[in-house]
Amino acid sequence: MALKHAKETETPILPLVNWLAEKQRSEYLTLFVCRGRLQAERLTSLLHPYGIQLALSEEFPETQPDKGMIRIVLGRLSAGFVWPTESLAIITENEIFGTRPRRKKPPKPKVHTDLLTFEELKQGDLVVHMEHGIGRYEGLVKLNGTGNDFLLIVYKDDDKLYLPVDRMSMVQKYMGVEGFQPVLDQLGGKSWERVKSRVKKSVEKMAGDLLNLYAARKVRQGYAFGHPDDDFRDFEAGFPYEETDDQLRAIEDVLQDMQASTPMDRLVCGDVGYGKTEVALRASLLTVSEGKQVAVLVPTTVLAEQHAATFSERFKAYPVNTASLSRFRTAKEQRIIINGLKEGKTDIVIGTHRLLQKDVAFKDLGLVVVDEEQRFGVKHKEKLKKLRTTVDVLALTATPIPRTLHLSLMGIRDISIISTPPEHRHAIVTYISEFDEAVIREAIRRELRRDGQIFFVHNHIGNIGEIALRLKKLTPEVRLDIAHGRMNETELERVMLRFMRRETDMLVCTTIIESGIDIPSANTILINRADRFGLAQIYQLRGRVGRSDEQAYAYLFIPSEAALTRDAQKRLKVLMEHSDLGAGFQIAMSDLKIRGGGTILGASQSGHIAAVGYDMFMKLMETAVSEAKGERVREALEPEINVNLSAFISESYIPDIDQRLSAYRRLAKMRELKDISDFKAELIDRYGELPSETANLLLKIMLKVMSVKAGVKRLDLTDEEIHIAFSEAHQENPAAIADMVSSGGNRFTLTPDYALKVRLIKRGEGTSLAQGRNVLKEIARRVNR
């Protein structure tokens, strides 16, 4: 039967079919060695029409098989061999190409509020000091004596605080609620502690609610996927680009989440075109290879079609059935797809909110991928929330909305950030101007000259036709189409497909193109009345261009500057500041600053955020969440180091004040000695040999880093002795200090208030620093045992 069937169809597998038919009649056991389950399934379906049945074994069969049986075994050949009687020589892939090196896992960073990149301080900015509260920054000043730099912070009644630059991490720029101007705190007063205490109580209640949500997710049992097999490795090799480290880390994070028994809820934040879709593709393959289904949820029909094309292309060499469910499908086509999902015949479905309707059911759903979740309505989000309790959820976004952002930063939700641009990608050149026909004509013609395409965004359906006519008069040679959400779906599809096939040059459209549409040949976008759009929205629109190696241009047209609202001015300023690659994360943070922290957590928290500033609010929130989890919470130790040395960065060494502030900020945040030596090498490379006062500053930072490790909160170093005050909360074994004193003879003295005095040994000039370093090293060794 198999021979007859094979002769009737001329296929490349004919010799294999003939050979297998012969083996079925013999007394041999025939084994196929397949590297992955998907490969095995593909081979089974390939041979089934020829009447050849294959049995799948997870491992080499130990029992005596039936005569003529044909089996597939999952595994791989370690080396080739020669089978003389069959005139057959087998050579493995590794023997031809060499072994494929195992990819080194990128280090996993800790996501924390340090990711929030606040601008450098400017004179007159409000700042929040951890201990003294809200003050006004008045610049860098030098005090008499050593000439060291201090941050001058002015408080109520014109009281002044001079903060040493090495303790700069004690302050953060104030970011509160739009329209609320806080009052300055009193230096040494109790108002700041009272406000902090009030906010802490509110935050603790909120943390408890969040923790219940977090705990419920962690105790639920989900499906633990296995480790990637060779099919997966082959799929990885089929990716036509070199992955960036960020992308590899995101993939690793997702795979680890999927292999855990609790349901995944991960947000992957990456700029447009940075490879988020590839993360979803690999997660989908792992899901499908274990017989489960994938639902990819996207906000627009056009995006569903594009994703469907991408998934079909990447999975064409694998036995994976993909389908697209959207309004572009007829009722009959939709019924077939829905039945396929219920019966398990469709492995991956890509669709709009149509996927969330009642008639859509899955045989065995394993993964939900949500693209740009913030674009979905409240009802759809509620349905997604229910899904999150049982299946793995992977959310993709280019500009995370602030609420999502802050939940992710607090560890209530997991986040991976892809911030490295692909190779050869250029930043989008952005222009802002009033509506100018000469500028528009030149922009369109410049793109046409390089055989490219153009988007013109006009978000008002009422007069979009008039705008299109006006543009046609300006550039009669341009072939243009109009697209908006109220068009007949068939007509809209036709317009979009014409543009994708390059049958038209310019698309005059509304924000229907905002999410995900991928047309590499479109590299100029003109946005009319840009002042009416939200920050994330303009960023998304601008991201429709610049998806290839070509230089892209964005033109934002606004009314005269006088007519702009204050918020619109701020939004456009932020866009110009963050026109570099990978700025989506910073844009979301800026959006949070403009809208005010209150919008993240609702009106009930606005007053608290205004009172202490967003950063302090987040710190209190993190502490409350950790305490609610039963974790040990320790305030970060910020030692005060007093050394009678000139220790600063001079204006002659780093003339630019912003760069000097940036250097001080980096030094203040250092926690490892290696960081200091790396920074020293960087300074020498950029600015030349270190002046003595800058070298002293690095030594002072070294003492600070060592003090943190030794649990020292204050260190006073003179030529004769060292005074050390301890923070017992930051020591594992505080009692070890007494042992050290008793074994040190008359060199050490412990005062009643648990401070240590160390008499220095006179050995010549400059040894006090060296002795101080040795004492701190000895303390750290003893108290951390």
Side-chain angles (χ1 to χ4, degrees):
M1 175 64 195
L3 278 170
K4 182 184 174 199
H5 191 93
K7 281 173 185 171
E8 288 169 0
T9 56
E10 291 296 317
T11 73
I13 64 164
L14 184 61
L16 175 63
V17 171
N18 288 332
W19 188 77
L20 285 173
E22 189 182 320
K23 293 302 170 195
Q24 272 188 317
R25 294 195 295 272
S26 72
E27 50 189 58
Y28 289 107
L29 161 70
T30 304
L31 279 181
F32 275 99
V33 180
C34 276
R35 288 166 52 183
R37 185 180 290 275
L38 284 174
Q39 212 175 43
E41 287 174 5
R42 189 177 180 209
L43 188 62
T44 305
S45 60
L46 206 60
L47 293 171
H48 188 286
Y50 299 101
I52 293 171
Q53 303 295 323
L54 301 178
L56 178 64
S57 298
E58 291 287 345
E59 53 191 30
F60 197 87
E62 293 177 5
T63 56
Q64 187 64 33
D66 297 334
K67 289 180 181 179
M69 179 178 281
I70 302 174
R71 277 193 177 181
I72 297 180
V73 179
L74 294 182
R76 65 188 307 159
L77 293 174
S78 57
F81 59 89
V82 176
W83 189 353
T85 55
E86 292 289 337
S87 303
L88 185 68
I90 301 291
I91 304 169
T92 66
E93 179 186 6
N94 287 352
E95 287 170 316
I96 299 170
F97 300 109
T99 54
R100 193 185 302 165
R102 287 188 72 82
R103 190 179 271 137
K104 191 178 174 184
K105 286 184 185 178
K108 194 167 184 179
K110 187 183 178 192
V111 176
H112 207 259
T113 47
D114 283 353
L115 281 168
L116 312 184
T117 51
F118 294 98
E119 318 99 311
E120 294 302 337
L121 287 173
K122 295 178 183 67
Q123 203 161 336
D125 284 346
L126 291 179
V127 293
V128 182
H129 189 288
M130 284 163 60
E131 293 170 3
H132 302 299
I134 299 170
R136 189 176 65 250
Y137 170 68
E138 290 296 349
L140 273 181
V141 295
K142 290 186 185 298
L143 293 184
N144 294 333
T146 59
N148 292 348
D149 281 332
F150 292 79
L151 270 71
L152 171 58
I153 302 169
V154 176
Y155 284 87
K156 191 177 177 183
D157 300 328
D158 213 28
D159 287 344
K160 294 179 175 67
L161 173 72
Y162 294 94
L163 183 73
V165 285
D166 57 279
R167 303 192 79 210
M168 208 173 165
S169 46
M170 295 284 287
V171 294
Q172 269 291 0
K173 187 170 177 183
Y174 174 84
M175 187 172 81
V177 175
E178 183 70 15
F180 179 89
Q181 188 68 18
V183 294
L184 300 184
D185 281 301
Q186 190 163 15
L187 196 58
K190 293 184 178 174
S191 60
W192 174 243
E193 285 305 321
R194 278 200 300 271
V195 167
K196 266 200 335 189
S197 174
R198 189 176 73 239
V199 174
K200 192 167 181 248
K201 278 180 189 168
S202 165
V203 152
E204 280 167 356
K205 182 184 180 305
M206 198 174 140
D209 296 342
L210 278 172
L211 192 73
N212 290 337
L213 179 151
Y214 179 83
R217 197 185 114 215
K218 287 296 178 189
V219 296
R220 284 190 200 101
Q221 284 298 306
Y223 179 80
F225 288 90
H227 291 276
D229 59 12
D230 283 324
D231 271 332
F232 191 90
R233 302 295 167 218
D234 287 344
F235 186 80
E236 280 184 325
F239 185 51
Y241 308 100
E242 186 69 33
E243 298 97 334
T244 61
D245 282 350
D246 289 346
Q247 196 179 13
L248 286 174
R249 196 180 292 120
I251 291 164
E252 194 64 44
D253 288 343
V254 168
L255 295 183
Q256 283 179 4
D257 286 355
M258 291 177 76
Q259 287 156 17
S261 58
T262 52
M264 170 173 74
D265 186 10
R266 181 165 289 277
L267 172 69
V268 175
C269 170
D271 248 322
V272 282
Y274 276 35
K276 299 186 297 293
T277 308
E278 182 62 21
V279 178
L281 282 161
R282 294 190 193 180
S284 300
L285 181 70
L286 188 64
T287 308
V288 170
S289 66
E290 300 205 13
K292 289 188 171 286
Q293 293 166 296
V294 180
V296 182
L297 198 58
V298 295
T300 65
T301 310
V302 174
L303 187 52
E305 294 301 297
Q306 286 210 322
H307 271 330
T310 305
F311 273 69
S312 298
E313 176 62 27
R314 284 287 273 129
F315 285 115
K316 68 182 179 186
Y318 296 84
V320 175
N321 293 321
T322 62
S324 173
L325 187 63
S326 68
R327 62 179 187 170
F328 282 174
R329 298 285 168 270
T330 63
K332 185 183 176 184
E333 285 172 332
Q334 288 189 28
R335 274 197 304 275
I336 292 168
I337 293 167
I338 289 166
N339 288 335
L341 291 171
K342 286 175 184 170
E343 294 165 15
K345 290 177 183 174
T346 302
D347 301 304
I348 300 173
V349 63
I350 297 122
T352 56
H353 53 81
R354 174 75 181 85
L355 285 176
L356 297 173
Q357 289 175 8
K358 286 180 182 176
D359 61 331
V360 178
F362 295 83
K363 186 182 179 185
D364 189 5
L365 183 63
L367 173 70
V368 176
V369 179
V370 188
D371 201 357
E372 299 297 345
E373 187 179 349
Q374 67 266 31
R375 301 284 312 285
F376 292 94
V378 176
K379 286 182 182 175
H380 301 140
K381 284 182 179 175
E382 283 303 312
K383 289 191 177 179
L384 280 172
K385 198 182 278 186
K386 287 175 187 171
L387 278 175
R388 277 194 164 93
T389 62
T390 51
V391 299
D392 287 349
V393 176
L394 174 62
L396 312 174
T397 185
T399 48
I401 53 171
R403 181 177 169 79
T404 320
L405 186 70
H406 108 268
L407 284 180
S408 301
L409 291 171
M410 286 194 310
I412 300 299
R413 192 170 177 194
D414 303 312
I415 186 171
S416 298
I417 298 168
I418 305 176
S419 58
T420 313
E423 213 176 353
H424 309 305
R425 183 68 56 87
H426 303 286
I428 299 165
V429 176
T430 306
Y431 300 104
I432 296 179
S433 81
E434 291 180 31
F435 192 92
D436 185 327
E437 292 189 347
V439 171
I440 293 168
R441 188 188 300 113
E442 176 52 33
I444 294 170
R445 285 181 172 160
R446 178 165 61 179
E447 192 58 54
L448 291 178
R449 279 197 296 271
R450 60 177 186 175
D451 200 26
Q453 291 173 287
I454 306 110
F455 291 112
F456 189 100
V457 180
H458 179 79
N459 207 31
H460 191 277
I461 296 173
N463 63 351
I464 196 168
E466 293 168 30
I467 285 285
L469 283 172
R470 193 172 168 186
L471 292 170
K472 186 69 179 169
K473 280 181 186 173
L474 272 177
T475 49
E477 69 273 27
V478 75
R479 298 171 299 168
L480 62 78
D481 255 336
I482 297 172
H484 57 78
R486 287 192 204 154
M487 287 171 72
N488 173 289
E489 57 198 58
T490 313
E491 178 57 24
L492 178 61
E493 182 184 24
R494 238 191 327 263
V495 166
M496 298 308 286
L497 287 175
R498 274 202 300 269
F499 193 65
M500 286 176 197
R501 290 170 185 158
R502 305 192 65 171
E503 291 167 13
T504 51
D505 304 313
M506 181 159 72
L507 195 64
V508 182
C509 54
T510 58
T511 53
I512 194 166
I513 62 154
E514 183 183 338
S515 271
I517 184 168
D518 187 2
I519 300 173
S521 55
N523 282 302
T524 293
I525 186 165
L526 303 103
I527 303 171
N528 195 21
R529 289 307 302 261
D531 56 302
R532 290 179 174 171
F533 294 95
L535 190 51
Q537 209 174 13
I538 304 179
Y539 186 73
Q540 285 280 29
L541 286 168
R542 191 173 65 173
R544 297 309 102 214
V545 296
R547 299 174 77 94
S548 68
D549 297 347
E550 292 283 349
Q551 176 64 63
Y553 299 92
Y555 295 82
L556 312 181
F557 297 118
I558 56 171
S560 65
E561 205 167 321
L564 286 180
T565 66
R566 196 163 156 226
D567 271 7
Q569 286 175 356
K570 283 185 183 178
R571 278 197 293 271
L572 295 170
K573 181 173 177 284
V574 165
L575 267 177
M576 296 307 284
E577 284 173 0
H578 296 298
S579 60
D580 53 330
L581 294 165
F585 204 75
Q586 281 79 8
I587 293 256
M589 281 312 303
S590 300
D591 204 16
L592 182 134
K593 293 173 194 175
I594 291 164
R595 289 161 49 190
T599 54
I600 329 161
L601 302 155
S604 62
Q605 296 302 329
S606 297
H608 297 314
I609 292 169
V612 295
Y614 181 75
D615 190 66
M616 178 56 71
F617 184 87
M618 285 289 287
K619 279 193 174 80
L620 292 171
M621 190 74 180
E622 279 180 3
T623 303
V625 168
S626 297
E627 283 174 350
K629 287 182 190 174
E631 294 172 359
R632 185 180 173 193
V633 179
R634 280 199 309 201
E635 284 285 324
L637 187 58
E638 286 291 337
E640 184 181 333
I641 310 294
N642 297 309
V643 186
N644 192 25
L645 287 170
S646 290
F648 59 93
I649 300 172
S650 66
E651 290 174 40
S652 58
Y653 189 56
I654 303 181
D656 184 84
I657 189 163
D658 285 342
Q659 287 183 16
R660 236 176 25 256
L661 265 176
S662 176
Y664 281 138
R665 186 185 290 272
R666 282 178 64 187
L667 283 167
K669 286 187 174 183
M670 285 182 184
R671 292 290 176 265
E672 296 296 333
L673 295 176
K674 186 182 180 301
D675 296 339
I676 302 171
S677 59
D678 290 348
F679 187 62
K680 180 181 177 180
E682 185 187 322
L683 284 177
I684 292 169
D685 183 52
R686 288 178 67 183
Y687 304 106
E689 279 303 314
L690 298 181
S692 59
E693 63 273 8
T694 308
N696 288 342
L697 177 64
L698 295 189
L699 289 170
K700 192 176 176 184
I701 298 297
M702 175 199 71
L703 290 177
K704 182 185 169 189
V705 168
M706 294 183 77
S707 295
V708 171
K709 294 182 187 299
V712 170
K713 65 181 177 185
R714 178 173 172 145
L715 182 142
D716 298 320
L717 181 63
T718 65
D719 291 337
E720 286 81 32
E721 62 181 9
I722 308 172
H723 284 250
I724 297 172
F726 297 106
S727 170
E728 291 185 44
H730 294 85
Q731 295 176 333
E732 299 296 327
N733 180 21
I737 299 296
D739 297 336
M740 182 176 160
V741 171
S742 59
S743 64
N746 63 353
R747 193 178 168 212
F748 299 120
T749 309
L750 200 58
T751 66
D753 57 349
Y754 196 62
L756 181 68
K757 285 185 181 180
V758 183
R759 189 168 50 80
L760 297 182
I761 302 162
K762 293 281 184 186
R763 287 182 188 157
E765 200 177 332
T767 59
S768 57
L769 276 170
Q771 287 184 61
R773 186 181 60 205
N774 291 338
V775 168
L776 288 171
K777 196 185 289 184
E778 178 64 16
I779 294 171
R781 187 181 68 78
R782 287 174 180 266
V783 299
N784 292 322
R785 278 199 294 213

